[in-house]
Amino acid sequence: MTHIAVIGAGITGITTAYALARRGYAVSVFDRNRYAAMETSFANGGQLSASNAEVWTRWGTIFKGLKWMMKSDAPLLVNPTPSWHKLSWMAEFMGNIPDYERNTVETARLAIAAREHLLEFAREVGADFDMEQRGILHVYRKPSEFDHARRVNDLLEKAGLERREVSAAEVQRLEPALQAETLGGFYTESDFTGDIHRYTRALSDACEKMGVSFHYKSKVTEVTHSGAGVRLTWDDAGAVQTEGFDGIVVCAGVGSRAIAAELGDRVNIYPVKGYSITVNLDDVESQAAAPWVSLLDDEAKIVTSRLGRKRFRIAGTAEFNGYNLDIRNDRIRPLREWCEMFFPDVSTEHCVPWAGLRPMLPSMMPKVGPGKTPGVYYNTGHGHLGWTLSAATAQATADIIDAGRMKNAA
């Protein structure tokens, strides 16, 4: 039996492990945390959103970043302290601007395909993850933002996404709890939301029942190509272990860049920090005042998800500040204030703040496929769409490994 090592137990790694295990592969998963989904897959915005597939590689993003550079609570914040990694990433980011339209269409197509795989996996394992299939509603308060959304919608339609423009009155009808005035919006009925952590944990439990081996609290210290396969060395609570595998899939999020470098590959992932707050709806008034339809405020770069009756997730912002995971009050405060403006009857007394590092490539497209050496594969760099794209890229990774195995057998 072909034995594959998966490095990383976030949403991408666990979904990859599941996709391989259900095809009959022996799979071992390695992660430095005690459980699955404890880093970037812990408390994201909760959206499974083909409607948010627009890549950021356009001049408008550059101009906004420059305008907001000295504004600590801006939706997009860039630490001006230079580093070679940051500068090289940004140079490549600008180099991908000509591919903005093509990459947006391709990302939307991938997201549409991923939805079906994710729902199929959830049915197979009986995952309960607070899923709400009520669509995603993009709202706009500035004419310029609304006009840009119409141009983006043309690209999403090319990808096959059904997304319709709605008036301000229809925005209010779709989500009566909304208290802020809008010009209108776009509604995508087929998008949905859920708790990424609960979903990933359910999938990891299913993987264990299928025979997948998990090495938690294990830090991979060396990855070498052995000719016939790949050898992994890891530190397991102070005990160093080494084992050979027929192949590995690197799904290590922002850690993928360093692992790729050991294997002779360049995967220029930069960590882009995002924040969330989980508002605990402890009183019946807040439960009634919080929305059930998922919202996306494009201007503020804020998304929301209702996670059951008693939780309301608000997430957003992008911060280019290296591998720093500090939770800054000046970045959390805008999320809380946004809630108080849009949903003033929701109590924000009990909010749980969180920050995670999105693994972003300059193209805003995930890296899925083989490395330079045989037996090395990548499924990483999904940026802000890790959960949205993970089921499709996991299936694609399993397809590529299948094709390589058949070729070797021939």
Side-chain angles (χ1 to χ4, degrees):
M1 182 183 291
T2 303
H3 194 178
I4 304 294
V6 174
I7 304 179
I11 182 62
T12 307
I14 294 298
T15 312
T16 299
Y18 182 75
L20 290 168
R22 72 202 287 263
R23 299 190 190 201
Y25 287 91
V27 181
S28 294
V29 178
F30 296 83
D31 197 275
R32 62 189 178 184
N33 295 289
R34 188 178 181 183
Y35 311 104
M38 293 304 294
E39 294 192 20
T40 306
S41 301
F42 185 76
N44 76 344
Q47 292 188 336
L48 291 142
S49 52
S51 60
N52 196 24
E54 181 194 12
V55 297
W56 300 357
T57 47
R58 62 186 187 92
W59 285 112
T61 306
I62 304 294
F63 297 144
K64 285 180 179 179
L66 292 172
K67 180 178 71 173
W68 290 332
M69 189 169 286
M70 304 310 294
K71 195 171 183 289
S72 65
D73 60 352
L76 172 62
L77 181 66
V78 179
N79 184 331
T81 304
S83 73
W84 174 248
H85 184 195
K86 187 193 301 179
L87 292 173
S88 69
W89 191 94
M90 289 183 172
E92 289 183 42
F93 179 91
M94 289 188 286
N96 278 280
I97 288 176
D99 297 324
Y100 159 79
E101 291 190 3
R102 179 174 61 83
N103 286 348
T104 293
V105 172
E106 179 57 30
T107 302
R109 285 175 177 157
L110 195 60
I112 292 167
R115 286 195 304 223
E116 300 308 314
H117 294 306
L118 183 143
L119 292 171
E120 180 184 2
F121 293 171
R123 285 192 296 267
E124 288 176 354
V125 306
D128 177 9
F129 58 102
D130 291 322
M131 179 172 63
E132 293 294 336
Q133 292 181 294
R134 301 173 189 250
I136 292 180
L137 178 61
H138 289 228
V139 296
Y140 301 92
R141 291 175 291 164
K142 283 186 177 180
S144 59
E145 295 286 343
F146 208 174
D147 288 342
H148 176 70
R150 294 184 178 101
R151 294 191 291 272
V152 172
N153 203 55
D154 292 339
L155 300 178
L156 299 180
E157 285 182 347
K158 286 183 182 179
L161 184 67
E162 294 185 12
R163 180 175 181 256
R164 61 186 175 88
E165 183 172 341
V166 293
S167 66
E170 194 166 5
V171 166
Q172 199 63 45
R173 184 185 64 78
L174 286 165
E175 184 42 77
L178 185 65
Q179 298 297 308
E181 290 187 7
T182 69
L183 296 174
F186 278 92
Y187 180 60
T188 311
E189 187 174 2
S190 55
D191 280 346
F192 55 102
T193 60
D195 186 326
I196 185 174
H197 182 70
R198 293 189 66 182
Y199 175 84
T200 310
R201 289 299 303 274
L203 211 57
S204 69
D205 289 345
C207 284
E208 285 198 60
K209 292 175 183 176
M210 297 166 71
V212 173
S213 298
F214 283 89
H215 300 269
Y216 289 121
K217 298 184 72 175
S218 296
K219 182 179 179 181
V220 175
T221 57
E222 188 177 9
V223 184
T224 57
H225 194 263
S226 61
V230 178
R231 294 194 69 79
L232 249 62
T233 300
W234 68 95
D235 185 324
D236 183 359
V240 176
Q241 300 186 47
T242 300
E243 186 176 346
F245 297 89
D246 298 298
I248 66 165
V249 186
V250 179
C251 306
V254 296
S256 300
R257 177 174 175 261
I259 295 170
E262 284 190 58
L263 293 163
D265 294 312
R266 186 172 185 273
V267 181
N268 194 18
I269 284 173
Y270 192 85
V272 180
K273 184 165 32 171
Y275 292 84
S276 76
I277 56 172
T278 302
V279 183
N280 291 316
L281 306 173
D282 296 329
D283 55 88
V284 293
E285 292 82 8
S286 293
Q287 292 166 17
W292 283 97
V293 171
S294 177
L295 301 174
L296 198 156
D297 182 343
D298 267 330
E299 180 186 352
K301 305 303 179 192
I302 285 176
V303 306
T304 76
S305 297
R306 185 71 178 264
L307 303 177
R309 187 168 60 91
K310 293 188 175 183
R311 290 187 301 154
F312 179 39
R313 177 76 47 78
I314 304 171
T317 78
E319 182 179 316
F320 288 76
N321 195 19
Y323 293 86
N324 180 293
L325 266 171
D326 292 347
I327 297 177
R328 296 171 45 174
N329 182 61
D330 58 356
R331 308 294 286 156
I332 291 293
R333 187 181 65 252
L335 302 179
R336 188 179 65 249
E337 290 176 347
W338 185 93
C339 179
E340 293 166 354
M341 179 175 64
F342 278 72
F343 304 99
D345 295 328
V346 171
S347 170
T348 55
E349 181 179 3
H350 300 292
C351 295
V352 181
W354 173 86
L357 300 177
R358 308 177 185 105
M360 287 194 173
L361 285 158
S363 64
M364 303 293 295
M365 302 289 288
K367 180 172 178 57
V368 181
K372 291 180 181 177
T373 51
V376 175
Y377 303 91
Y378 294 92
N379 183 15
T380 189
H382 296 64
H384 67 298
L385 294 175
W387 195 16
T388 294
L389 302 179
S390 60
T393 61
Q395 288 286 68
T397 301
D399 288 342
I400 292 166
I401 293 174
D402 275 347
R405 184 177 64 167
M406 295 298 291
K407 182 179 178 180
N408 291 337

